[in-house]
Amino acid sequence: MAPQSSSDDFGIQTLTLIPGLPNDIGALILAFVPYSHHARIKPTCKSWRRFFSSKTLISLRQNYVVAPKLLCVFPQDPSISPPYLFDPKNLSWCPLPLMPCNPHVYGLSNFISVAVGPHLYVLGGSLFDTRSFPLDRPSPSSSAFRFDFAAFCWESLSPMITPRGSFACAAVPECGKIVVAGGGSRHTMFGAAGSRMSSVEMYDIGSDEWVALDGLPRFRAGCVGFFLGTEFWVMGGYGESRTVSGVFPVDEYYRDAVVMELKNGGKWRELGDMWEEGERRRLGKIVVADDGGWDSPGIFMLDRGEIFRYDKISNRWAKETYVPKKVSDDALVGFVALDEELYLLTHLNVTESTDGRRSRQHKRSSTLLIQIYHPGKSRWRSVIVKPPFHQPLDFKTTVMCPIRL
């Protein structure tokens, strides 16, 4: 049945969306156009421009269209380099506006992006502040921004209680909450140093307020967070550091996980080490895939060209599959889950070139190879896409966030 939305919902009284059809039917038809194509077809006519700029469009897509997840890619500081939406089904890209710029800070990195409904949140991070001393020492950020896809603009939110970057974060869309845990001040320009913390906060989307929760058992930064049911999980990360020869700082990485049950007073419990000494140095890149026939979402790790699945009962990682086309370093790979599939993004021809071939090799290096694995079918496939970025993505610093629109 057609949606009960009138043409007035998007400011059209006499303009027709599709000749010969009621506007309600025309709106529903246009709502099925993939989101990544909206910017290209919006200038077709005045009525389409108004419709594709209205809140009605987002409402129709949320209620009537089974839309696949898109991938929001932040290549750098989003206040100087625009993020892009990537549509993996149609292999198309759509730019987003720049995030509001603060003239006193620059070089934002190690921030977290999380999606809740038709909104994209950018939280915290590490940056340089021209008002601080010394100038070359990074500082954690407490800022919070939200991009509203209905209004297609950014808005500033209440800042976190404690500034932080490189932290664990996950959202509970059903409850309208976002939880952040741990973190520190480390910047991507520095391989070590920086502060660590154990504080935990929860953001209430409806009231735009942050409240403090029970802190982590230990200082922990560089960790990953996700929800399994009502439990907030925090895995990996680093705490204290030691020095080699009394000069070079080296992080001490955690091998354990901690879990908070939000409904039972918000207390933490420790699960112990997830692997034996010498099995691996640190936790690999982690993603959580939607339920594809399992009892609960699957937790997967990319580690040295192999994908492992986490077993909650044994608190161990079991090998799931090998990556068909490996790279020498997992840091050169983007790892993300979209719906029931795992996506691995790498650049083709990333090897260094001679000076005589620099421009040609650099141009080739912008091509992305996307290897896609379906855990339920144990099947790989791959696609090659041409991204819109002027420089190859650095997956050590690139932030990616799935969102359904």
Side-chain angles (χ1 to χ4, degrees), residues 58-211:
I58 297 296
S59 176
L60 287 174
R61 290 184 63 84
Q62 294 284 330
N63 295 326
Y64 295 95
V65 180
V66 183
K69 279 189 177 179
L70 306 180
L71 181 63
C72 187
V73 180
F74 296 83
Q76 299 180 45
D77 181 347
S79 65
I80 62 172
S81 180
Y84 276 78
L85 281 180
F86 173 61
D87 184 345
K89 301 297 182 183
N90 298 280
L91 303 182
S92 54
W93 299 82
C94 172
L96 299 180
L98 291 172
M99 202 171 72
C101 178
N102 184 336
H104 299 290
V105 301
Y106 61 96
L108 179 66
S109 70
N110 290 338
F111 57 90
I112 298 295
S113 179
V114 61
V116 180
H119 298 98
L120 189 68
Y121 293 80
V122 173
L123 308 174
S126 180
L127 45 74
F128 296 95
D129 193 326
T130 59
R131 298 162 296 183
S132 64
F133 182 83
L135 294 178
D136 61 349
R137 180 173 298 174
S139 304
S141 171
S142 62
S143 63
F145 293 91
R146 176 173 60 199
F147 185 76
D148 186 344
F149 281 89
F152 209 72
C153 66
W154 290 93
E155 56 183 324
S156 179
L157 306 175
S158 297
M160 291 184 287
I161 300 173
T162 305
R164 70 187 75 215
S166 303
F167 53 95
C169 176
V172 193
E174 300 82 3
C175 303
K177 311 288 186 182
I178 300 175
V179 179
V180 299
S185 63
R186 178 171 299 179
H187 196 275
T188 54
M189 290 183 61
F190 303 93
S195 62
R196 287 88 160 156
M197 65 183 61
S198 61
S199 67
V200 180
E201 305 173 33
M202 183 168 64
Y203 177 68
D204 188 306
I205 295 176
S207 62
D208 188 28
E209 293 180 346
W210 293 89
V211 295

Side-chain angles (χ1 to χ4, degrees), residues 254-255 273-277 279-280 282-283 316:
Y254 291 121
R255 305 200 305 267
D273 293 345
M274 296 179 288
W275 63 85
E276 301 297 334
E277 181 72 30
E279 186 176 345
R280 59 176 55 87
R282 56 181 293 182
L283 192 72
R316 287 292 186 269

Side-chain angles (χ1 to χ4, degrees), residues 325 346-351 361 364-369 384:
K325 186 175 179 59
T346 56
H347 286 289
L348 293 177
N349 301 318
V350 296
T351 56
Q361 188 72 25
R364 287 178 181 175
S365 68
S366 63
T367 303
L368 278 177
L369 169 66
I384 296 177

